């Protein structure tokens, strides 16, 4: 078979590959502490589960309208209006997961050669989606600025131009957990207006923050007509397997993205959407409880790493942190093999993560997968007991 160039340009998802490797080890009876997964470890709130069951019992098991059931689109619009965004139900498409919302946006906006600017570290699928749409990439590295955008605005100013079609902003960020300042977002606004750039504001972690209140980019003056707001139910409501997300955008993009949805996935599942209405309207307390638990775990992990001389930028949102795995770690040195011979030095973050899962049975994701080598992404969507065990194992294997 001859495969399409656009597919051969894309690598498999690094995060899912690590998660699959962890699952294989577990299937062989190995106890793996999985810090690679981007999934809350809390059950879906019971009232949401019951709403899904009730919807199935009521017969909501057939096709749903392409753009989503009216009740859910209205609930989403009301939520977004509460965030200062001027959207109505007609400006919303409900999708099978936030990833599909992003995919439809890239497919609707990017033609061959169109430039898309990413802020590194950037979630792994952004690059793949740009390539599948035929676009080209420019990148701005935030690692040197503790993963914050505001001090990197001069680099962003030099990177974007009138040739830039799309800029992707993810705050709170996967993988760094950084929440970008209001001043940073105003800087994005100024550049977007100056160069007529459309901006994706990926806000999938907006409800999971610690002591900060993120601003929605589309609420800033001048951004309503050029912002695509992406969000979903997987993270805030612990509904990963329900596959429910959405995009909100100006009417002209909605009409184009709706075509992509209608000719691909058709719609999100009908009964899932009914559960989504319950999630938006009646789970505020559960969301707060989960966020508070994540904050406690973040603090614990920061302290555990500091106890072993590893300093990290404490995240203000999401449930990830970028951990440096630099030249001083044992993983960067040659390791002794059972036959007494020395292996080749493991001199990058991918080798470190390989050693972590093979030797310590701790799964993490290499920072190079996000465009930021020299780091590993740790997810703290795990119990405090398991987080302690993970660090103990990594220290025991001289990885810290």
């Amino acid at each position: 078979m001859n495969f399409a160039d656009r597919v051969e340009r894309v690598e498999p998802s690094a995060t899912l590959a690590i998660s699959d490797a962890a699952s294989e080890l577990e299937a062989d009876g190995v106890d793996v502490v999985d810090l690679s997964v981007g999934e809350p470890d809390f059950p879906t709130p019971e009232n949401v589960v019951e709403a899904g069951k009730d919807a199935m019992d009521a017969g909501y098991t057939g096709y749903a309208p392409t753009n989503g059931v009216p009740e859910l689109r209205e609930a989403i619009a009301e939520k977004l209006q509460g965030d200062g965004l001027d959207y109505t139900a007609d400006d919303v498409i409900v999708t099978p997961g936030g990833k599909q919302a992003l995919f439809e946006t890239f497919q609707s906006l990017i033609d061959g050669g169109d430039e898309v600017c990413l802020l590194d570290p950037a979630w792994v699928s952004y690059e793949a989606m740009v390539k599948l749409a035929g676009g080209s990439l420019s990148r701005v590295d935030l690692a040197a600025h503790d993963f914050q955008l505001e001090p990197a605005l001069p680099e962003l100013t030099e990177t974007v131009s009138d040739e830039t079609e799309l800029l992707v902003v993810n705050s709170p960020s996967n993988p760094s957990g950084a929440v970008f300042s209001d001043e940073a977002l105003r800087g994005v606004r100024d550049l977007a207006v100056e160069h007529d750039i459309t901006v994706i504001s990926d806000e999938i972690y907006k409800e999971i923050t610690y002591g900060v209140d993120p601003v929605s980019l589309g609420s800033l003056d001048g951004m309503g007509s050029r912002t695509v707001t992406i969000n979903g139910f997987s993270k805030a409501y612990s509904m990963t397997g329900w596959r429910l997300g959405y995009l909100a955008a100006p009417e002209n993009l909605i009409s184009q993205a709706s075509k992509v949805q209608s000719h691909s996935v058709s719609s999100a599942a009908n009964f899932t959407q009914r559960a989504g209405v319950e999630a938006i309207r009646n789970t505020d307390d559960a969301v707060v409880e989960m966020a508070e638990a994540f904050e406690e775990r973040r603090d614990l992990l920061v302290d555990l790493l500091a106890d072993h001389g590893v300093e990290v930028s404490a995240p203000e949102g999401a449930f990830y942190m970028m951990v440096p795995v630099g030249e001083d770690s044992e993983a960067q040195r040659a390791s002794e093999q059972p036959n007494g011979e020395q292996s080749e030095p493991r001199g990058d973050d991918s080798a470190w993560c390989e050693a972590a899962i093979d030797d310590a049975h701790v799964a993490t994701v290499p920072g190079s997968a996000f465009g930021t080598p020299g780091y590993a992404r740790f997810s703290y969507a795990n119990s405090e007991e398991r987080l302690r065990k993970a660090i103990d194992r990594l220290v025991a294997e001289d990885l810290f």
Side-chain angles (χ1 to χ4, degrees), residues 10 19 39 62 151 158 160 215 227 244 292 306 318 330 376:
V10 173
S19 183
E39 180 174 29
E158 296 206 356
V160 299
V215 170
T227 302
L244 195 62
E292 289 176 347
E330 285 292 334

Side-chain angles (χ1 to χ4, degrees), residues 351-369:
W352 190 94
C353 291
E354 210 174 289
I357 193 168
D358 290 345
D359 302 339
H361 299 149
V362 176
T364 61
V365 184
S368 54

Side-chain angles (χ1 to χ4, degrees), residues 111-180:
D111 273 326
D114 285 346
E115 179 188 302
V116 179
C117 182
L118 300 182
L119 305 174
D120 287 334
W123 180 53
V124 296
S125 291
Y126 294 146
E127 177 179 340
M129 290 182 190
V130 172
K131 290 180 176 179
L132 287 170
S136 63
L137 287 163
S138 62
R139 314 184 81 117
V140 175
D141 185 12
L142 307 187
H145 306 287
D146 284 334
F147 307 109
Q148 284 296 330
L149 175 56
E150 185 175 344
L153 284 176
E155 290 113 295
L156 181 60
T157 300
E158 296 206 356
T159 301
V160 299
S161 68
D162 291 346
E163 301 304 311
T164 306
E165 187 69 29
L166 187 62
L167 169 63
V168 182
V169 176
N170 175 211
S171 176
S173 165
N174 175 10
S176 72
V179 177
F180 300 150

Side-chain angles (χ1 to χ4, degrees), residues 310-331:
V310 181
E311 299 297 326
V312 297
S313 298
E316 292 181 306
F319 39 75
Y320 313 105
M321 66 177 63
M322 293 293 272
V323 178
V325 287
E327 295 179 354
D328 291 335
S329 72
E330 285 292 334

Side-chain angles (χ1 to χ4, degrees), residues 4 25 53 62 65 84 117 140 210 267 362:
L25 284 172
K53 292 177 181 178
C117 182
V140 175
Y210 317 120
S267 68
V362 176

